[in-house]
Amino acid sequence: MGDKGKFQAIKGVRDILPPESALWNRVEQTARETFGTFGFAEIRLPIFEQTELFARSVGQETDIVSKEMYSFEDRAQGVITAMKDAIQMAMVSPDSPDSINVFTATLKRYETLVTTGISSAEIPNSAAIQVYAAGLRHGLEILERFQRDPENKWLESIGFSGFSAIIAGIKALAFAIPMGENIALRPEATASVVRAYIEHGMQMLPGNAKLYYTGPMFRRERPQKGRYRQFYQIGAEVLGSSDAPGIDAEVIEMLMRLFERLKLKGAILNVNSIGCKNCRPAYVEVLRAELLKVREQLGEDSKRRIETNPLRVLDSKLEHEQAIIATLPRIADHLCNDCRVHYDEVKRQLGLRGITYQENWRLVRGLDYYMRTTFEITAPGLGSQNAVCGGGRYDGLVELLGGPATTKGIGFAIGTDRLILSLQEAGEGATPSGYDVYLAWFGAAAQTAAIGLAHRLRDAGFTVELPAAEMKFGKSLGLADRLKARHAVIMGDDELAAGVVTVKRLTDSSQQKLAEQDLFSYLRSQNPK
């Protein structure tokens, strides 16, 4: 290697190191325990899916799909890929029969492999690919016609430029045929959960499917505080036949219960209703009409969204737009009767659970399958982008992805990176570090006894450091101190002869001799779990 510099993590990703990783484990474990008490079970999802799944669910025109998603062709390796590359690199001239013969032979072999690949499903079959394959066959026919024309009359009729255009077209067709499915690293997980729900027929299970997940997501966006290209989410989804407001309230209750158990201070719940497919379109048109009146006062993103998705203008964080947005029509004034009744009942159900909330009329979702309840939780320590969790009802998503039209859904996703950051900012990020016990042994016989004692201590749940090699007394105790061990248990010839161990509490250097059975009781009293 010419460059022998140190490898570093790619921009936008990071290593999560001890002791911070202990906080991550605590957060994820608390989520598992909390969700479990509400009857949710874990679903483990693939990190990549078909790109079309996210394009359809997240929205083809969204920044996530058009700019931020890591998508790529899952290319078949070997001969067919090499031939595809050879076709692109080939130099073909009408003055060189050999070049035409080689190119035609390569193309014929390539076309045969493509046809075989489509038949065996190694290459995804679609209407577009069938068109590309047919074009490739037509290109072959043209080349073969040229080979059968020794007097070059056909070349005279189309000219050199026409010949070059034909070769370029054939290359373009060969290039357009995918060697595998187009897949993407998941930018979010709701679509994957719904895909799994449909694929495995989970609508046949009794009651609602109540699922939660944890894991990494991927978006190629500008890294900033609490936002990474590989980021983590904890989420939950409820899928079933009912859209009862009590389901919405219980999902929010579960979420708030988790934050209480994590001691997340200053969390604020915002709720709203964005109506349904019967009433929201009319509101969107009213909103668009009002935005057009103030168009020249808006930023470029908001101007673009007037046509593509007016609801997204309400998300704007530009300071000069806030006064304008405050005067815009509110969706609460445009709900149909069914949506108003549903929203009122959600708020009543939250009250029954003692959950404090504030209504935020600007809390919207831009995609058609979202409807009615939306919610968001903000937390301190995150700056202006202070949302730590967002969720809502998406009754149209299952149908959009090919599932039963009667299936309803609601869920949320917690930005784990941002949650961890908020906990750390609030001083709740500290986790116990160091060992419960450092076993300092001296002599071969003591090492044998120390190995047995370490085994029993670990079985009892204590964290133990057992030196692999004998050290001098001072060096051994110095290492125990640097490792932040709470106790040093000293074992030497004298201790073995007396059937005891010497226990030194490193915080104040006090020490005592204890029999093994008393050692366990003492450590439990000093290190309550």
Side-chain angles (χ1 to χ4, degrees):
M1 291 176 61
D3 181 5
K4 294 188 178 180
K6 293 181 179 178
F7 288 108
Q8 293 183 316
I10 295 170
K11 182 180 180 182
V13 302
R14 60 176 179 148
D15 303 303
I16 300 170
L17 307 176
E20 184 183 355
S21 57
L23 174 59
W24 280 74
N25 287 331
R26 179 167 70 85
V27 166
E28 291 170 353
Q29 183 58 31
T30 303
R32 290 187 176 94
E33 293 170 356
T34 303
F35 297 168
T37 64
F38 284 78
F40 282 68
E42 184 176 17
I43 181 170
R44 299 199 176 195
L45 301 158
I47 284 179
F48 54 82
E49 301 266 10
Q50 293 177 333
T51 300
E52 178 60 23
L53 174 68
F54 301 117
R56 195 182 302 179
S57 62
V58 178
Q60 186 72 54
E61 302 304 320
T62 61
D63 286 349
I64 292 173
V65 171
S66 63
K67 299 178 183 178
E68 299 171 1
M69 198 158 61
Y70 288 98
S71 60
F72 53 94
E73 185 181 279
D74 185 20
R75 299 187 67 177
Q77 300 301 311
V79 175
I80 190 168
T81 301
M83 292 181 72
K84 184 175 186 177
D85 294 339
I87 290 168
Q88 301 307 309
M89 299 298 294
M91 302 296 291
V92 187
S93 170
D95 293 330
S96 173
D98 286 346
S99 70
I100 297 172
N101 293 338
V102 170
F103 184 74
T104 303
T106 303
L107 196 64
K108 187 178 294 186
R109 175 64 175 151
Y110 178 73
E111 190 273 335
T112 300
L113 290 174
V114 167
T115 302
T116 303
I118 293 173
S119 300
S120 65
E122 185 177 346
I123 295 175
N125 195 359
S126 69
I129 290 174
Q130 292 290 352
V131 170
Y132 296 148
L136 204 59
R137 286 191 291 273
H138 182 60
L140 268 170
E141 291 172 2
I142 293 174
L143 288 174
E144 289 170 345
R145 187 189 314 161
F146 183 78
Q147 288 176 308
R148 293 194 300 267
D149 182 22
E151 297 181 5
N152 288 340
K153 292 181 179 179
W154 182 74
L155 178 61
E156 291 176 5
S157 67
I158 63 171
F160 281 83
S161 61
F163 180 86
S164 298
I166 290 171
I167 296 299
I170 291 172
K171 287 185 175 184
L173 284 169
F175 181 79
I177 296 174
M179 293 295 99
E181 287 189 296
N182 196 279
I183 62 179
L185 299 180
R186 61 187 187 195
E188 57 91 44
T190 299
S192 295
V193 173
V194 172
R195 189 267 309 150
Y197 176 87
I198 297 168
E199 181 178 347
H200 299 289
M202 297 180 75
Q203 69 271 18
M204 304 304 295
L205 298 174
N208 291 320
K210 300 164 76 172
L211 305 166
Y212 75 86
Y213 59 84
T214 64
M217 313 293 159
F218 305 87
R219 294 182 191 174
R220 196 186 186 285
E221 56 185 348
R222 184 173 62 85
Q224 53 185 289
K225 184 177 182 181
R227 193 182 295 275
Y228 302 91
R229 291 178 173 177
Q230 177 178 321
F231 58 100
Y232 294 81
Q233 287 186 346
I234 299 170
E237 318 288 347
V238 179
L239 295 160
S241 60
S242 175
D243 62 354
I247 297 174
D248 305 33
E250 185 173 83
V251 166
I252 294 172
E253 178 189 8
M254 181 175 76
L255 185 56
M256 299 306 291
R257 180 62 183 139
L258 170 62
F259 290 155
E260 288 172 10
R261 292 184 65 180
L262 291 173
K263 298 183 173 63
L264 179 66
K265 299 173 182 176
I268 298 173
L269 169 65
N270 295 270
V271 300
N272 191 27
S273 175
I274 57 171
C276 66
K277 60 184 179 181
N278 296 322
C279 57
R280 188 166 66 244
Y283 167 71
V284 169
E285 291 309 312
V286 170
L287 180 61
R288 178 180 282 116
E290 293 301 313
L291 286 169
L292 286 171
K293 295 176 183 178
V294 296
R295 186 179 187 280
E296 297 310 312
Q297 302 174 50
L298 301 174
E300 291 304 315
D301 280 347
S302 292
K303 287 179 181 177
R304 175 173 52 83
R305 287 168 177 165
I306 291 175
E307 297 303 325
T308 61
N309 200 337
L311 289 173
R312 291 292 310 280
V313 177
L314 304 181
D315 290 333
S316 171
K317 301 297 188 292
L318 293 179
E319 187 173 344
H320 81 274
E321 292 185 348
Q322 302 311 302
I324 299 171
I325 292 172
T327 66
L328 295 173
R330 303 190 173 199
I331 194 168
D333 299 327
H334 296 264
L335 296 177
C336 63
N337 185 65
D338 287 347
C339 288
R340 187 175 303 282
V341 169
H342 187 277
Y343 185 38
D344 288 341
E345 181 61 15
V346 168
K347 291 185 287 185
R348 191 184 77 85
Q349 290 281 341
L350 291 174
L352 291 176
R353 291 163 169 79
I355 297 173
T356 303
Y357 61 89
Q358 60 185 31
E359 296 186 69
N360 180 358
W361 70 276
R362 291 177 57 176
L363 185 57
V364 295
R365 299 286 183 265
L367 300 173
D368 289 343
Y369 59 77
Y370 281 107
M371 58 186 62
R372 295 186 173 171
T373 307
T374 59
F375 57 92
E376 182 178 84
I377 295 173
T378 60
L382 299 174
S384 60
Q385 301 288 336
N386 60 350
V388 74
C389 174
R393 179 161 285 285
Y394 48 83
D395 290 351
L397 181 57
V398 175
E399 181 181 11
L400 179 67
L401 296 182
T406 55
T407 304
K408 316 296 183 183
I410 185 172
F412 62 79
I414 300 167
T416 316
D417 305 82
R418 299 170 70 76
L419 173 59
I420 295 288
L421 180 59
S422 189
L423 290 170
Q424 291 171 329
E425 293 281 341
E428 294 295 337
T431 56
S433 60
Y435 294 91
D436 294 324
V437 174
Y438 177 92
L439 269 174
W441 56 271
F442 307 97
Q447 182 184 27
T448 301
I451 290 172
L453 179 57
H455 181 87
R456 293 187 291 278
L457 285 167
R458 288 165 177 157
D459 279 351
F462 297 106
T463 57
V464 179
E465 172 66 6
L466 177 66
E470 186 174 0
M471 291 184 283
K472 293 182 178 179
F473 184 81
K475 185 177 180 181
S476 187
L477 271 288
L479 177 58
D481 190 58
R482 293 195 301 277
L483 291 174
K484 297 182 180 179
R486 285 172 280 284
H487 299 88
V489 173
I490 302 165
M491 302 179 70
D493 292 339
D494 292 343
E495 284 78 14
L496 289 179
V500 297
V501 294
T502 300
V503 183
K504 184 180 182 70
R505 190 165 61 190
L506 296 177
T507 54
D508 60 9
S509 296
S510 62
Q511 67 180 48
Q512 56 186 309
K513 294 185 182 295
L514 295 172
E516 181 174 315
Q517 62 268 29
D518 296 326
L519 170 66
F520 282 74
S521 299
Y522 169 76
L523 291 174
R524 288 192 184 95
S525 70
Q526 296 294 305
N527 301 283
K529 296 291 183 180

